Every structure is written in C-alpha cells, then in structure tokens.
Amino acid sequence: MANLITLSRLLLLIVVVAIAYQPPAPWQFANVLLLIVVFVTDGLDGWVARRRHEETLFGALFDIAGDRIVELTMWIVLADLKLVPVWVPLVFVIRGTVVDTIRASHSTRRGESPFAMMETPVGRWLVAGRFMRIFYAVLKATAFCWLLFLQPFPGTFPAIWAEWGGVMRLTGDVLVGLAVLICVARGLPVVFEFVYAERDAILGRAAAARAQRD
C-alpha cells in the first residue's frame, strides 16, 4: 500500500507539470493545491508503511527515489519556465546524484536503511534527524508552491503585481536560496563520512596485508 501511495504521487506530479506548461490563467492557482497533495502524500506513505508494518529496504529506497524525482522534476520545470536560474537545478542534480550513489552503495553492502549510514552526531542531525528532514521537505514544498503561485499572478492580478511583484519575487528568491543552502549542507556530511570510511578501510586492508607479510 505504501509503495502504491508513492507511485500515485509520481503520477500526480505529471499532472502538475502539464498544468504548469499551460498559458497562464486563473485556474492555474489550483496547481498549488495539487502540488500540496503531492508533498502531503510523501509523509503519508511512510506513516502507512509503519502502521501496516510494511517497512522494507526497497520501500525506503523507492521513497527516496520518489522524493528525488519530484524534487528534480520541479526544479528543472521551474528553470525551464524561467522562474529560477538554471544553476539551481544543476546544484540539486549533482548533489542528488553523488549522495544517492553513496547511499545505494552503502545499502547494497550492508542491507541497511540509507539514513543508517550516518555515524557522526552532526551527520545524524543534518541528514537523518527527523527535524531537519521535515524542515527541508517543508522548505522545498513552500518554495515550489510559492513559485507556482506566482506563475499566473501577473496576468490575473496585474494591479497587485505592479505594486507587490518585487517583494513577491524576492520572497521566492529567499526560499530558493535557503533550499539550495540546506541541500548542500545536508549533502556534505554524507560525502565526508563516506570518504573517511573508505580511507579507513583502505588503511585497514594495507595494515592487514603488511601483518601477513611480516
């Protein structure tokens, strides 16, 4: 059931993208509500999995993959619609590719949840901590919804836009900037811990080889 919920929000994402590419019109404000449903179901699938005792490694990886698909699709679409600079999705694509590759490698070797690889207190708080995960998800959802809200606004309410458009755009820029900052901050501990773990493993194998020769 939880995996079906994850799949359903990916299908709803397609609807959101299709509406975003329509000519700006007042009915496009409904797209914000649809996107909110996409993000609400993100938390719902995890709750259902725990409630029905369906927590599996595949489910955890599928949920992360679903999150990444939603996130990257929205950043790329918003960049294509000229609502964010093109470098923004590039940051998320590069960070997501690197971090997900490390997590997949760890999960394959140890059969653990992707978040279980974090060992330092800072890493656990930034990456695996419930507060930061929720805060980051809410921040991205708010940024996406706000930018979609702005898309039809100039044509629907031109007088309000003429007076408040600058402030509204600035609000969007702040939300996007914070999302980028936290994205990078949450990716660095994963990379650093992986590098140090691999270094220790290499040194350990070298020491074991020397011990055998001696």
Side-chain angles (χ1 to χ4, degrees):
M1 177 62 73
N3 292 337
L4 289 177
I5 294 174
T6 302
L7 179 60
S8 68
R9 67 187 172 98
L10 295 180
L11 296 176
L12 184 56
L13 174 68
I14 297 175
V15 177
V16 171
V17 172
I19 293 175
Y21 276 96
Q22 300 304 308
W27 63 270
Q28 281 189 319
F29 287 114
N31 215 15
V32 177
L33 299 178
L34 294 179
L35 190 58
I36 290 174
V37 173
V38 171
F39 283 103
V40 169
T41 52
D42 178 26
L44 181 62
D45 57 5
W47 181 84
V48 169
R50 292 188 296 271
R51 186 79 172 180
R52 295 169 60 92
H53 305 290
E54 296 176 349
E55 295 175 283
T56 63
L57 178 59
F58 171 79
L61 292 174
F62 186 37
D63 183 47
I64 290 176
D67 293 344
R68 195 70 72 227
I69 291 171
V70 172
E71 176 184 41
L72 296 183
T73 298
M74 288 306 304
W75 286 127
I76 291 171
V77 167
L78 291 172
D80 190 47
L81 293 172
K82 305 296 189 283
L83 294 173
V84 297
V86 70
W87 62 264
V88 172
L90 289 177
V91 169
F92 283 90
V93 168
I94 294 171
R95 182 267 193 187
T97 301
V98 172
V99 169
D100 288 350
T101 300
I102 293 172
R103 284 174 172 169
S105 173
H106 177 88
S107 297
T108 300
R109 289 202 308 262
R110 301 189 185 183
E112 296 177 339
S113 166
F115 292 109
M117 68 177 291
M118 305 311 301
E119 298 180 356
T120 64
V122 173
R124 285 195 295 269
W125 183 76
L126 268 176
V127 181
R130 183 175 179 81
F131 170 78
M132 282 303 300
R133 290 170 64 184
I134 293 176
F135 176 74
Y136 183 46
V138 170
L139 177 61
K140 287 187 294 183
T142 303
F144 293 149
C145 290
W146 181 255
L147 293 173
L148 284 185
F149 176 74
L150 293 185
Q151 187 187 14
F153 204 97
T156 306
F157 304 106
I160 298 177
W161 182 257
E163 184 174 358
W164 296 99
V167 175
M168 297 171 76
R169 281 196 299 264
L170 178 60
T171 301
D173 292 341
V174 171
L175 290 171
V176 171
L178 287 175
V180 170
L181 181 63
I182 296 180
C183 167
V184 174
R186 295 184 76 242
L188 290 177
V190 177
V191 175
F192 288 153
E193 290 196 22
F194 174 76
V195 170
Y196 279 110
E198 290 300 307
R199 185 201 63 174
D200 292 342
I202 293 173
L203 293 177
R205 288 194 294 268
R210 286 196 300 270
Q212 288 180 351
R213 288 197 300 269
D214 295 341

